[in-house]
Amino acid sequence: MTTTPSTPSPYLLGAEDEERRRLIFQGELLKNDTHALLDRLPLHQGDRALDVGCGPLGIMDELSARVGDTGRVTGVDAEQRMIEMARRTLAERRLSNVSLKNADAADTGLPPSSFHLVHTRLVLMNVPHTDRVLDEMVALTRPGGTVAVQDVDWLTRICEPPHPSWDRLVTAIAELWRRNGMDVMLGRRLPGMLRRRGLRDVQVRASTHVFQHTDPYQTLLVDRAELCRAALTEHGLITDAELDDHIAALSRHLDDPGTLVVHATLFQAWGTRPTGT
């Protein structure tokens, strides 16, 4: 990831074993959405697919199954630690038709026009050079191939009953993302971003999830606030003491069986690179 075309920036959510478990769990949570997307795409046995910003797994397992033994899947991630986690995951799952590359999503070094499908999930919202990443994805796609993007929009990020600590943490984290050149409302803009790059037959699908106090993702906002503690305080968006108070208050509220959490809306958009381009 980069804050400028030449300066890497750290992944704000960390890259240790706990993050590996969270990201793999996230993949399981979104498995039905992944199937719904891939069922709509022209991906076949023997095809080549690329997962941009793959993390420790991304959707490489699903792509591996779709392209089969005669196909190939490549995973790209800018974080070396994520690549190391992915190697462990691929070995554990014996995914022999998958290879990995440590590279920036906007400058992968991979051959242009070489993939039937180029995909990314929950990456564009977390990088400041979204346009450059999308340009690279289109360039890597074969004419007639598909570019598919999945990302969230905080349109629906609410808890019920409402709580002031929820609102305070949402506002602080959204502002942190903005200051780092990122957009928590990106999801709704994905179809237009694909069309502006000349993709044809652009389609979109959206879904959301609701959590209760027994679900691991019920406390996702609290967990994210803790992961981003250093950045939040360094930017002067909240003090350590204030953050402690809001995390404690919100944790109690989320542990109430009557509290529901509505997650951010997941937008999926995909389109075809025209032949002759």
Side-chain angles (χ1 to χ4, degrees):
M1 302 174 187
T2 59
T3 51
T4 69
S6 60
T7 306
S9 75
Y11 175 58
L12 288 175
L13 299 181
E16 304 304 331
D17 279 352
E18 183 177 345
E19 182 65 0
R20 176 178 182 251
R21 289 190 293 271
R22 186 189 73 80
L23 290 171
I24 290 175
F25 173 78
Q26 176 179 267
E28 290 300 314
L29 176 70
L30 298 176
K31 188 176 288 291
N32 288 340
D33 292 296
T34 299
H35 289 168
L37 173 64
L38 293 179
D39 286 347
R40 290 164 168 78
L41 305 182
L43 187 63
H44 309 291
Q45 295 277 310
D47 282 355
R48 297 187 64 195
L50 175 64
D51 195 15
V52 176
C54 60
L57 183 60
I59 69 164
M60 293 186 293
D61 54 339
E62 302 291 345
L63 295 174
S64 172
R66 300 270 175 153
V67 303
D69 293 339
T70 59
R72 293 296 302 174
V73 175
T74 302
V76 169
D77 202 284
E79 290 278 345
Q80 180 61 40
R81 290 174 296 174
M82 288 291 181
I83 293 293
E84 292 166 2
M85 291 179 189
R87 287 196 183 102
R88 290 169 52 194
T89 307
L90 297 179
E92 291 166 1
R93 302 190 180 212
R94 300 180 180 179
L95 300 178
S96 59
N97 63 344
V98 181
S99 60
L100 299 168
K101 185 176 177 62
N102 180 208
D104 190 284
D107 186 17
T108 63
L110 293 167
S113 303
S114 56
F115 294 94
H116 297 86
L117 170 66
V118 178
H119 164 271
T120 191
R121 181 178 69 189
L122 302 180
V123 169
L124 299 179
M125 192 195 80
N126 291 305
V127 297
H129 56 326
T130 301
D131 288 331
R132 292 177 54 230
V133 172
L134 279 174
D135 290 343
E136 176 78 348
M137 291 177 65
V138 173
L140 293 172
T141 306
R142 297 165 52 125
T146 304
V147 177
V149 292
Q150 303 188 66
D151 227 308
V152 293
D153 190 311
W154 285 20
L155 170 72
T156 53
R157 192 160 206 186
I158 60 172
C159 72
E160 177 59 39
H163 194 280
S165 292
W166 176 277
D167 297 338
R168 180 70 177 92
L169 294 180
V170 165
T171 299
I173 294 171
E175 176 61 15
L176 176 63
W177 253 240
R178 189 194 67 79
R179 292 189 185 185
N180 280 275
M182 301 176 291
D183 180 9
V184 299
M185 302 296 188
L186 181 71
R188 69 190 75 176
R189 298 197 290 112
L190 294 176
M193 296 171 79
L194 295 184
R195 291 189 184 98
R196 285 194 295 275
R197 282 163 176 80
L199 298 185
R200 305 285 178 81
D201 303 319
V202 173
Q203 300 180 59
V204 62
R205 177 182 180 271
S207 63
T208 193
H209 295 265
V210 177
F211 304 112
Q212 301 180 68
H213 78 293
T214 55
D215 295 316
Y217 257 38
Q218 175 81 339
T219 61
L220 181 62
L221 181 65
V222 168
D223 299 339
R224 176 165 289 189
E226 193 60 68
L227 280 168
C228 296
R229 175 183 288 271
L232 288 166
T233 56
E234 285 169 9
H235 279 268
L237 294 171
I238 197 167
T239 66
D240 268 317
E242 186 184 4
L243 186 57
D244 287 339
D245 289 345
H246 283 299
I247 285 176
L250 185 56
S251 294
R252 291 191 295 270
H253 182 61
L254 296 176
D255 195 46
D256 187 322
T259 300
L260 298 178
V261 165
V262 183
H263 193 40
T265 301
L266 178 70
F267 279 82
Q268 300 171 322
W270 62 97
T272 303
R273 179 178 175 183
T275 56
T277 62

